[in-house]
Amino acid sequence: MIPKRHRTNIALYLIWVIAALFTSTQLYLKTLEAGGTDTWFKLFFIQFLVWNIWGALSPLIFWLGKRFRIDKQTYYRGILIHIVFAVLVVLVYLALYSLIWNFLGTGSFSWPAFMVYFKLFFLNLFHWHFFIYMAIIGLVHAMAYQNELKQREYEAIELEKQLLVSELNTLKAQLSPHFLFNTINNVISTIEQGKNEVASGMLIRLGDFLRTSLQESKHKFIPLKKELDSVKQYLEIERFRNQALEVVLKSDQEHETLPVPSFILQPIVENAIKHGIAKSEHANRIEIGSEWKESFLRLYVYNEGPGLVQDQKDREGIGLRNTKMRLEKLYAGKASVHLFSVNDGVMVEIRIPGT
């Protein structure tokens, strides 16, 4: 692929070639009308040389345009500087233009002939080439503004990504201590009840769970299978306190390779245990599943226990609120979380758009 700098140089060169084609054709038609004998190829060769003077001067003009910008702070100063440079550059151009015609006309350099050509070209062409210089300066500024706009857009996108990552990490940081403190409190409560073996088992499982959580917390997305494995580790901790806990997992293997936000199910499952199963003596069943529905992945967590009352519908805990915020930031509003009563329990449904 041609580098951008070379593409710009090629484009500028082609502009001067096209200009030579137009002016040589115009001169040839005038020559025919006046009964002249110059061929189109001869005129094109002359114009090609003449316009290539602008090609040779273009790098200098580009440098001047970048060095002396015309913006809000240097508007009048910049315009004045480029008017001066325009006069100087056009005078150099006309001098070289006259030199070429002098050699083509007489075959050698003649000061009187050179001055005749220079005066003729100065009176007839100065203003046109003055505007050519200004047009090149305008092109330089347009390209610079476009590059700056792209750079600002890139920086804005990068800043937005950094803010998003920071906010997501903050949300995850809120969830991890929330779970950890709850589990430690459960261990203390178990010890106070004299169930030391149960407490020991909980701490071992807690260590395994935290080790897995630390490994996966480095990733924004993980396969669904890893997320489910993490949830299983958490539920093994809960089984030490409630051995009647019945866990049902319904997930097709074909879905388990799909990416999901790390640590997305654990706070939902924790809420199901804390606000559902723990609130009823007869509630023991928790079901976690996934299915592909239309164009999104549906994850759900169902627990037996009391249904939702109006106060619960209106208020959200840390787990559910942060889960919604994470999904909002990760999927720009295309994901959703729904909480509702189902039969003799409560279900949380998460919908993640397919990739």
Side-chain angles (χ1 to χ4, degrees):
M1 186 176 180
I2 302 174
K4 183 178 180 181
R5 180 181 176 183
H6 295 329
R7 291 201 304 270
T8 302
N9 292 334
I10 291 172
L12 287 172
Y13 181 75
L14 289 176
I15 290 174
W16 306 128
V17 172
I18 292 171
L21 287 171
F22 275 103
T23 54
S24 59
T25 301
Q26 184 181 31
L27 288 173
Y28 178 67
L29 293 175
K30 288 183 178 180
T31 300
L32 287 180
E33 186 178 359
T37 58
D38 290 335
T39 65
W40 181 86
F41 292 101
K42 177 183 177 181
L43 294 172
F44 174 72
F45 176 72
I46 295 171
Q47 292 300 307
F48 181 75
L49 292 177
V50 167
W51 283 107
N52 267 277
I53 296 173
W54 274 116
L57 293 173
S58 292
L60 171 63
I61 300 173
F62 265 70
W63 181 84
L64 291 172
K66 294 176 181 178
R67 176 64 179 81
F68 302 100
R69 290 286 297 272
I70 301 174
D71 49 33
K72 291 182 179 180
Q73 289 74 29
T74 62
Y75 184 78
Y76 295 106
R77 176 174 173 270
I79 290 178
L80 180 61
I81 288 174
H82 283 294
I83 287 175
V84 173
F85 280 126
V87 171
L88 295 175
V89 169
V90 173
L91 288 176
V92 171
Y93 168 80
L94 293 177
L96 295 172
Y97 193 8
S98 303
L99 193 62
I100 290 173
W101 278 97
N102 184 189
F103 272 103
L104 292 174
T106 64
S108 62
F109 177 75
S110 169
W111 180 256
F114 172 80
M115 290 305 298
V116 169
Y117 281 118
F118 185 82
K119 182 179 180 181
L120 176 67
F121 294 147
F122 179 81
L123 295 175
N124 290 278
L125 300 176
F126 178 86
H127 59 292
W128 291 112
H129 292 285
F130 179 89
F131 287 116
I132 288 176
Y133 174 93
M134 288 301 185
I136 297 174
I137 292 298
L139 177 62
V140 172
H141 281 70
M143 293 173 63
Y145 290 141
Q146 183 182 33
N147 291 335
E148 290 171 2
L149 179 61
K150 288 182 179 179
Q151 181 64 25
R152 284 196 294 269
E153 289 177 349
Y154 173 78
E155 291 174 355
I157 291 172
E158 286 300 308
L159 178 60
E160 186 176 352
K161 286 182 180 179
Q162 292 174 11
L163 290 174
L164 177 60
V165 170
S166 176
E167 290 176 359
L168 288 172
N169 288 338
T170 299
L171 293 175
K172 289 167 72 174
Q174 281 183 299
L175 289 173
S176 298
H178 181 256
F179 156 74
L180 181 60
F181 295 150
N182 284 345
T183 305
I184 291 174
N185 286 334
N186 290 336
V187 172
I188 293 173
S189 175
T190 304
I191 293 174
E192 289 176 347
Q193 295 173 20
K195 301 177 181 179
N196 294 337
E197 291 184 5
V198 174
S200 176
M202 291 177 68
L203 287 174
I204 292 173
R205 292 295 188 276
L206 177 60
D208 294 337
F209 177 78
L210 290 177
R211 189 177 301 109
T212 301
S213 298
L214 288 172
Q215 291 174 349
E216 302 304 339
S217 65
K218 301 175 184 177
H219 307 289
K220 188 185 299 184
F221 295 94
I222 60 173
L224 175 59
K225 184 179 187 305
K226 287 189 175 182
E227 181 69 13
L228 292 175
D229 289 342
S230 177
V231 169
K232 290 178 187 176
Q233 288 181 321
Y234 167 74
L235 289 172
E236 286 178 5
I237 297 173
E238 290 296 331
R239 268 209 183 97
F240 277 93
R241 292 198 310 121
N242 181 6
Q243 295 188 7
L245 181 64
E246 179 187 356
V247 178
V248 179
L249 291 175
K250 293 184 178 180
S251 177
D252 294 337
Q253 289 186 349
E254 60 184 290
H255 301 150
E256 293 184 352
T257 58
L258 297 175
V260 298
S262 61
F263 214 60
I264 198 69
L265 287 176
Q266 189 276 329
I268 305 299
V269 174
E270 183 181 356
N271 281 348
I273 299 292
K274 180 179 179 181
H275 301 292
I277 292 176
K279 297 294 184 180
S280 173
E281 295 181 359
H282 305 290
N284 294 306
R285 189 170 185 270
I286 182 169
E287 182 176 321
I288 305 164
S290 70
E291 63 174 338
W292 185 260
K293 193 170 183 179
E294 296 177 357
S295 60
F296 55 84
L297 177 66
R298 175 178 177 264
L299 306 176
Y300 66 89
V301 176
Y302 163 77
N303 65 270
E304 291 181 339
L308 296 175
V309 296
Q310 188 60 44
D311 184 55
Q312 289 175 304
K313 293 179 181 178
D314 294 337
R315 292 188 300 170
E316 296 177 351
I318 292 176
L320 190 61
R321 182 173 65 252
N322 284 4
T323 298
K324 286 185 176 181
M325 291 174 65
R326 287 184 65 200
L327 291 173
E328 173 68 29
K329 294 179 184 300
L330 287 171
Y331 297 100
K334 296 180 181 179
S336 62
V337 181
H338 302 282
L339 175 69
F340 46 88
S341 296
V342 176
N343 299 328
D344 55 349
V346 174
M347 177 175 287
V348 175
E349 179 183 86
I350 301 174
R351 295 189 177 190
I352 298 174
T355 55

